[in-house]
Amino acid sequence: MNASDLKASNLEQALCFFNPTKPLSDVGLRLWYVPRSRSPRGRMRTLLEKETEAQRILFVGHRGSGKSTELNKLAEELEPSFHTIEMNLIDITGRTTPEYDDLMLAMSTRVTRYCIEKKLIRRPLGEALGERWQDLLDWWQQLAGSAQLPTVATEENLSVKLNTILGQLELGVKQSSQTRDRVKLRLNQQMPELIERLNWVIEQAESGGRPLLIIVEGLDKVDLESANNIFRDHSPTITTPRAAMVFTFPLALRHSDHFNTIRLSFPEVFYLPNICPRKVDASEDQDGLAALRRLVLARIEERLIMPEALELILRNNGGVPVWLVALIRGAILYALERGGDRIAIGDAENAVRDLLRETLPPLSREDHRVLRARHQDRLLSNDSMEQRLLYNGSLIEYANAVPWCDAHPVLWPLLEDGEHGRQE
Amino acid sequence: MVVKSDFTKPEEKSAFSRLVTLLRLVEGAWALAVIDNQSERRVSQQLRAALDPLPVIEVSFLDIGPSPLPLLRARNIPEGSAAPVIIFNAVGTAMPDLFWYIDVHREKIAKYRHRLVLLVTERERLLLLEKAPNFCSRLSGVFRFTRRPATPMPIDYRALLATLEPNPEPAL
């Protein structure tokens, strides 16, 4: 993609540029990323770069708030000073109920494989180093053990052989619960050995001058009990690797009784707030609206969307980037359907209506009652009902003042229309 | 963009036109088509005709199990070829396991260029939104081809799910 492809010049192109299925990365990140004033990315970067001790950071944000995009941007910015290893625990393990040993195994295999593939570890030439390499290989082979892994073809290069074993181990553990159970049983008896070998790899890799940063995504989506198991009950283990680490963290746990315990091991917690189109007193937040406008106009020429249509979309997405992208895409489809060459107010209105009727999660009467109350008082609490509504996206948290919340804007007519606010 | 179909109701005509436009233009798009017993077969047939020459593959979850990933892996798209449209039916038969697969593996699914359409009943749409929110937050659109409109909110959720029409017969 070159500079002329920076912004969509017609609606067909715009439809492709507003893609809700993926966060920004690579070319999209370079072309369309818009800095957000309240993003903690800058502070995270400063902390990682300035502190001599490897940091362990928790990163929290709502679904669709742009966490993955911000982490991709952080990795890009840190590229001159860190080797960054990004991994998604759910992708690697295939589980939404991972345990701490799943995390440790995944981190170890991924970090080791990365360091091998990027040639960050000195080749096993000298005798001492060669012995260490052989030990690493032997140890992983015995961990894989009688797990039904295909025989590794004889290879002269220890590091290549090791990389192959680790790849097969990852696959075996993911695809077979029997293999996983066998390996974990062995691993639990040898966790100190795993940590020792992982730290040796990290030390070798960092001896070249650039430290490692491990970014672990997916932990914000795991079962809450699993997250507690990992962060609260096994924090001493998961913080033993001597590399900087960033973990995504479930929003619901931030408001739980366990959070203070978790903070003892993870003092650095950074929250990515949603963009704020309004203030807590319901007046417009011009900075927030401007940020949302920049997000849109980074990808589409301004002439392709009528001002009133853009304003309607800016006021109805709740400050959540994924909804903004969805509304723009929906409006483009309506415009293309009528043969228009730009988005008009009717297209935006249809997109907003569809978001309410077809895409927001269903709400019960009790949900409705709570949302109406929060729309009126905007008070944020750790009440379990509200946490559920935050999770499903019908309640949105903001941080342009003391943290507050409001119902998704497309729900407001429903909530304001009498006792039950029945949708027409 | 002109899209021909034999849908006569304005809402269905609009939904079909927008769905076809989306699928024609956007590789990797994910869409829900909300259908009922009467419209399911018609939507599939009309999509196949309207999307030609894009390859359209119809797949039943009865045949592939609750995860779409093995199918996507198997249907590798040669470099330079247009990504096919995959229409999934019998979605209800894959529930509840389907919720887990598409929600947990949405990042992996997003790596494939295939254009995905899930044919769902109103009941299944509500369940997907409730149980697979991570997947649904990435949808490119929900397109309706049913006699009844979307269930108005607020709802008596449990009672409603008990009274909504049962899943249509799996397409033969």
Side-chain angles (χ1 to χ4, degrees), chain B residues 111-138:
Chain B
K111 288 182 176 147
Y112 292 94
R113 292 164 47 209
H114 305 74
R115 310 159 211 246
L116 308 182
V117 181
L118 275 69
L119 301 182
V120 295
T121 62
E122 176 65 1
R123 176 180 182 276
E124 288 156 6
R125 178 188 76 90
L126 292 172
L127 284 169
L128 274 173
L129 292 177
E130 175 86 4
K131 304 290 187 186
N134 293 303
F135 175 82
C136 290
S137 70
R138 303 281 185 92

Side-chain angles (χ1 to χ4, degrees), chain A residues 15 26 57 59 145 171 201 215 241-242 255 262 268 297 319 339 359 391 397 421 424:
Chain A
L15 194 62
D26 303 319
I57 293 173
F59 188 52
L171 202 60
V201 168
I215 297 179
R242 290 188 215 118
H255 299 291
I262 293 170
E268 305 295 347
L297 298 181
T359 315
Y391 177 75
E397 181 179 341
E424 290 181 10

Side-chain angles (χ1 to χ4, degrees), chain A residues 16 20-22 63 90-91 94 96 174 221 322 329 334 336-337 357-360 363-364 420 422-423, chain B residues 1 14 17-18 25-26 28 100 104 106 108 110 125 129 133-134 137-140 144 150 153-155:
Chain A
C16 300
T21 60
K22 295 181 191 178
R63 183 186 314 112
I90 294 180
D91 270 355
T96 51
K174 183 176 179 179
K221 296 180 180 58
V322 78
R329 179 169 265 193
Y334 276 105
L336 287 172
E337 185 209 348
R357 289 186 178 176
E358 306 284 6
T359 315
L360 280 189
L363 299 175
S364 67
H420 298 296
R422 198 75 178 170
Q423 175 188 350
Chain B
M1 182 169 290
S14 168
S17 173
R18 287 178 290 114
L25 292 178
V26 185
W100 181 87
V104 167
R106 67 163 185 175
K108 286 213 152 141
R125 178 188 76 90
L129 292 177
N134 293 303
S137 70
R138 303 281 185 92
L139 287 171
S140 292
R144 181 167 290 274
M153 291 196 284
I155 60 175

